[in-house]
Structure formats: C-alpha cells, structure tokens
Amino acid sequence: MSNQIQDYNPSGIAEMNGNLLGLPYDYESANLIIFAVPWEVTVSYGAGTANGPQRILDASFQIDLFDFDNPDGWKQGIFMVEIPQDILEKNHYYRQQAAKIIERQAEGKPLTNTPDLTPVLTEINQAGEQLNQWLFQHCQTAMNQGKKVAVIGGDHSSPLGYFQALAAKYESYGILHIDAHADLRDSYEEFEFSHASIMFNAMKIPQISKLVQVGLRDICQDEVDIINDSNGRIIAYYDHAIKQKLYSGNTWIDICREIINHLPENVYISFDVDGLDPKLCPNTGTPVPGGLELEQAYCLFRELVNSGRKIIGFDLCEVGDAEWDGNVGARIVYKLANLLNLSQKNSTYGN
C-alpha cells in the first residue's frame, strides 16, 4: 500500500479499485473512513436513496482530485468501506413491511385492525435500533484508532449511531444541518427512527449543544413549536427568510457568518441534499422547490473553516438512485472531506 501511495498520480485516470475516487488507500492507511448506510426503511415519498452510496461511489471515479480549497486534500487518506450488502437486503425487507404500515395509516385505519400490524411496527423499530448500534460500534472503533469518520446514507435516519459515537468522544458539539425539512417529528408515522425524526432523536443526546438548520422550507407546526421552545438550542434559517434577506441587499457571506456565530468549537455537518435546489439532486426522496445553490453551501462551509471552528465529521444523505444525483453527491462528499481536513489543520477557535 505504501508503494501504491508513493507512486500514485493524482492527475491520472482513476483506478476502479472499489474505493471512493479510486484513491490508493485502505482502512489501515486512511485517516478518513467513510461508512455507507444503505437504509431507507421509513421513506414516505420517493424511494431509491438506499442505492445512493453506490451511485456516489460509481460517479466518484470521474471526478478530478484537484480541490481549490485544499489541493492536497486527497493525501489525508480517504477510504470508503465496502457497502454492506446484508444491510441493503434487510432494508429491502423492512421497507416492504413499512409500506404496509404507511398504507394503513393513509387509509385512516388503526394498526390494530386485522391483520394487526403493531408487531410489524415493533420489528421495524428494533431493526432501526440494531442499525444504530451497528454504526455506533463501527464509528467508535475507527475513532478509537485516531481516524475521522463520515457517513453516506440512505435516508436521513442513517447517521444517528454516528451522532451517538461522537457524543461518547466529545463533551459538546454542534450540528450544522442543511435540509429542506427540520426532521424534528416525534416518531413520524409511528417509526421511532424515521428519516423525519433524525434531529428529534439527535436532540435527545445531551452532548449536542446546538442545532443550526439552514434551508428549511417544508415544515409542520409541531416542528416550528419545538424550534421556538428550544431556548436557543435550535436555530432555524428558513429558506424564505434567507431569500428575503438576499433580495433586500444583504450578502450571502454576511448571512453565512451570522449562521456560524451560533455554532460551538466542534461542528458536525449533516447534509440532506434536498436542502439544495432540486435541479441538483432531482431524485432525492422528498424534493422541495427552492433551496441553496451548491456553491452557497460550499461558501457556508468555507466560512465555518475560516472561523477557526473544527469540523469533526459529516454525513451526506438522501442522494437519489440516478447518475446525475450520484455525480453531485460524490462531489459534495469529496468537498466535505477536504474541508474537514482543512479545518483540522487550521483550527484556531478559542486560542
């Protein structure tokens, strides 16, 4: 492996070696380990995000490695662990079971009607808990070896086990959350680990001191109430309010700095691609008109790094099962990896 790295030409053609971007690293030699979580059991609109990790991997071989923010970012060592087929198979099974529950609810009938679906709901919730434990253990093992970790979903329920692993390592950290949705629903459609409940579940983790949400534009009253009643623990930047500021002459860079001022020293980025304009990832699970341009999101992340804060991890979720979506997703993963690396080298916050 050391000879492969030494002889590697970053301007050459990517080797289809099974690793993200065709990079010449394995688990041992890499400093950033990426786990794929091909899971979308509770998806309530468009399906296909369980195949997002594979689409991202496939598209990554076409991406040039030079990055303007961190030209040598690839040298940090990036390795994407093989996509777990057993989890993908479980996803297919439980997705079919969840569809029965969603259909029953859409009919306005109780789960206890014949056939009784409450045991099915219990089974799905247990499967979600097992997935969280699986990811927690893998993330903790990697972090105990001094490695950084990232997650590619699946739907947005995917990274909860990673949140929990970070909470075991850090006394306090904040989440910068890019999304069209607040994901603050309590057990949406009665699924405890729903994609629409990831941030509700995150707020149960006391080490998460702040949640700053950017791009929200599809939200329910209960979620607005949770945000308003959070005593500043949750800060929402709604898409319409961002646009109104921009149309009034405020600059995006000033808005970015205002957003970042709410965040603590250690920051985790949770990126749902439906936070972007849907032209960028049209096959995401729940697309919503509006949203950020990709460079707006990158600008926000650059300002996070420039502030001296440290990016401690990230996830990218809800990438659809299509070539274009995978292309955009792969670029986001690589950009986040490079900015994470840059922030680790440049962190001056609190000094």
Side-chain angles (χ1 to χ4, degrees):
M1 180 58 65
S2 57
N3 286 340
Q4 279 183 279
I5 296 168
Q6 192 173 343
D7 299 337
Y8 183 72
N9 176 13
S11 299
I13 297 170
E15 180 185 342
M16 307 284 274
N17 60 3
N19 188 24
L20 194 78
L21 302 154
L23 289 171
Y25 295 95
D26 56 17
Y27 190 100
E28 285 69 34
S29 58
N31 289 308
L32 175 64
I33 306 298
I34 299 176
F35 293 105
V37 185
W39 192 260
E40 58 169 0
V41 168
T42 65
V43 67
S44 48
Y45 189 52
T49 60
N51 296 324
Q54 186 65 56
R55 286 293 190 174
I56 288 171
L57 177 61
D58 292 344
S60 72
F61 300 114
Q62 302 303 319
I63 294 176
D64 278 317
L65 293 180
F66 184 86
D67 181 86
F68 285 95
D69 293 302
N70 190 359
D72 291 331
W74 66 271
K75 292 181 180 179
Q76 69 183 286
I78 302 169
F79 178 70
M80 180 175 173
V81 176
E82 186 176 352
I83 297 169
Q85 294 304 305
D86 58 329
I87 289 178
L88 190 58
E89 289 168 11
K90 287 177 183 176
N91 169 74
H92 293 326
Y93 169 75
Y94 287 113
R95 174 79 191 98
Q96 293 171 343
Q97 301 303 306
K100 299 174 185 176
I101 292 173
I102 294 169
E103 184 179 352
R104 178 75 63 83
Q105 291 177 332
E107 294 169 350
K109 298 175 182 177
L111 297 185
T112 50
N113 277 16
T114 306
D116 185 358
L117 294 178
T118 50
V120 177
L121 178 63
T122 299
E123 186 182 0
I124 291 168
N125 286 336
Q126 288 174 343
E129 179 59 43
Q130 289 167 0
L131 178 76
N132 296 336
Q133 291 173 358
W134 172 86
L135 185 59
F136 174 88
Q137 290 165 357
H138 281 279
C139 291
Q140 190 170 62
T141 297
M143 288 192 294
N144 285 344
Q145 295 175 29
K147 300 179 185 296
K148 300 294 178 283
V149 171
V151 166
I152 300 175
D155 72 29
H156 210 161
S157 70
S158 301
L160 184 58
Y162 182 24
F163 292 179
Q164 294 163 338
L166 286 169
K169 178 179 174 63
Y170 293 93
E171 290 183 8
S172 175
Y173 70 95
I175 296 178
L176 177 57
H177 175 208
I178 309 299
D179 207 322
H181 310 90
D183 293 344
L184 288 167
R185 292 174 181 264
D186 182 0
S187 301
Y188 184 59
E189 296 177 325
E190 298 193 46
F191 300 117
E192 183 179 356
F193 302 109
S194 168
H195 65 100
S197 303
I198 179 65
M199 293 306 164
F200 183 88
N201 291 326
M203 291 294 89
K204 297 177 184 177
I205 301 172
Q207 290 88 344
I208 298 175
S209 61
K210 186 77 78 166
L211 171 62
V212 180
Q213 304 183 291
V214 181
L216 307 186
R217 55 194 186 278
D218 194 9
I219 193 167
C220 75
Q221 183 65 56
D222 286 350
E223 292 175 303
V224 173
D225 292 343
I226 287 173
I227 293 167
N228 291 342
D229 296 339
S230 71
N231 294 318
R233 190 177 178 211
I234 306 173
I235 304 291
Y237 280 82
Y238 299 106
D239 191 57
H240 75 274
I242 290 172
K243 299 287 169 51
Q244 199 75 13
K245 284 186 175 184
L246 291 172
Y247 302 153
S248 300
N250 290 273
T251 66
W252 176 238
I253 203 88
D254 284 340
I255 296 170
C256 288
R257 289 167 182 165
E258 180 187 319
I259 291 168
I260 288 159
N261 279 339
H262 294 290
L263 289 162
E265 175 183 0
N266 294 316
V267 179
Y268 177 96
I269 296 174
S270 190
F271 198 145
D272 183 327
V273 294
D274 70 31
L276 299 172
D277 185 307
K279 70 189 176 194
L280 292 162
C281 279
N283 297 286
T284 188
T286 315
V288 184
L292 302 177
E293 293 294 339
L294 189 55
E295 275 299 333
Q296 282 184 300
Y298 288 171
C299 177
L300 176 60
F301 302 153
R302 288 187 192 105
E303 285 305 303
L304 179 67
V305 175
N306 291 340
S307 76
R309 288 166 175 80
K310 189 182 297 183
I311 301 172
I312 59 172
F314 66 86
D315 66 70
L316 180 69
C317 295
E318 304 282 357
V319 171
D321 187 11
E323 185 176 352
W324 172 243
D325 299 60
N327 182 319
V328 173
R331 294 173 189 279
I332 294 171
V333 169
Y334 188 46
K335 176 62 74 176
L336 285 170
N338 286 331
L339 291 175
L340 181 150
N341 175 249
L342 194 62
S343 82
Q344 296 283 331
K345 291 190 292 189
N346 293 355
S347 180
T348 58
Y349 189 83
N351 291 350

